């Protein structure tokens, strides 16, 4: 059940194996639990990209236990903000939701050197989102 006092954010990308996993992990970490966080994919992969897991570990966040999840209409309906990252036409749209589209490179098939700048871009965007939501980010 969604906590009515907490904003809820859903991050969506195609495979839910890279960008959306990093964004969800950063939002969870930086908000210290002040935001309900979800992530999903329109065509989820079997596992999170190993280069993404490594890049996030370098940032002090362990996402090795995360698994890609399928995007459902219920996940969208129960979120206040839906942030898409290249999920194309597969993302359902519901009235009254705030939608943002973050244009980010896809880390699929990339090594950790290519993932780091994507990770850092996502971290900055998440910090900006927290500011917009009126939530103090962890230092």
């Amino acid at each position: 059940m969604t906590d009515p006092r907490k904003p809820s954010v859903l991050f969506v990308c195609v495979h839910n194996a890279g960008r959306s996993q990093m964004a969800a992990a950063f939002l969870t970490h930086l908000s210290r639990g002040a935001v309900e966080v979800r992530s999903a994919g329109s065509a989820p992969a079997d596992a999170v990209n190993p280069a993404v897991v490594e890049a996030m570990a370098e940032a002090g966040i362990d996402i090795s236990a995360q698994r890609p999840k399928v995007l459902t209409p219920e996940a969208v309906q129960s979120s206040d903000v839906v942030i898409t990252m290249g999920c194309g036409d597969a993302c359902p749209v519901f009235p009254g939701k705030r939608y943002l589209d973050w244009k980010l490179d896809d880390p699929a098939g990339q090594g950790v050197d290519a993932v780091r700048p994507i990770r850092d871009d996502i971290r900055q965007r998440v910090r900006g989102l927290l500011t917009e939501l009126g939530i103090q980010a962890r230092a």
Side-chain angles (χ1 to χ4, degrees):
M1 182 83 190
T2 301
D3 183 338
R5 297 163 302 210
K6 277 187 185 182
S8 58
V9 176
L10 169 64
F11 294 101
V12 183
C13 66
V14 175
H15 298 119
N16 191 224
R19 296 166 290 189
S20 56
Q21 290 284 352
M22 288 189 282
F26 275 128
L27 186 55
T28 298
H29 176 76
L30 294 171
S31 75
R32 292 185 222 87
V35 177
E36 186 173 342
V37 182
R38 298 178 183 88
S39 72
S42 54
D46 294 329
V48 175
N49 179 333
V52 167
V53 172
E54 183 179 345
M56 290 302 289
E58 292 174 358
I61 299 174
D62 180 8
I63 64 168
S64 61
Q66 295 300 314
R67 298 290 171 252
K69 295 166 278 312
V70 69
L71 176 64
T72 65
E74 294 79 23
V76 177
Q77 286 178 310
S78 60
S79 299
D80 299 312
V81 180
V82 179
I83 299 175
T84 58
M85 304 170 175
C87 72
D89 294 335
C91 294
V93 175
F94 293 96
K97 302 295 172 192
R98 180 175 174 210
Y99 290 88
L100 301 171
D101 186 39
W102 289 358
K103 303 285 187 208
L104 296 159
D105 290 336
D106 189 346
Q110 303 291 323
V112 71
D113 289 338
V115 172
R116 286 183 190 114
I118 301 167
R119 174 201 64 200
D120 295 344
D121 186 4
I122 290 170
R123 178 176 20 217
Q124 287 310 113
R125 290 172 188 249
V126 167
R127 284 187 176 282
L129 176 65
L130 283 168
T131 299
E132 289 176 29
L133 294 174
I135 296 170
Q136 178 74 36
R138 177 189 305 246

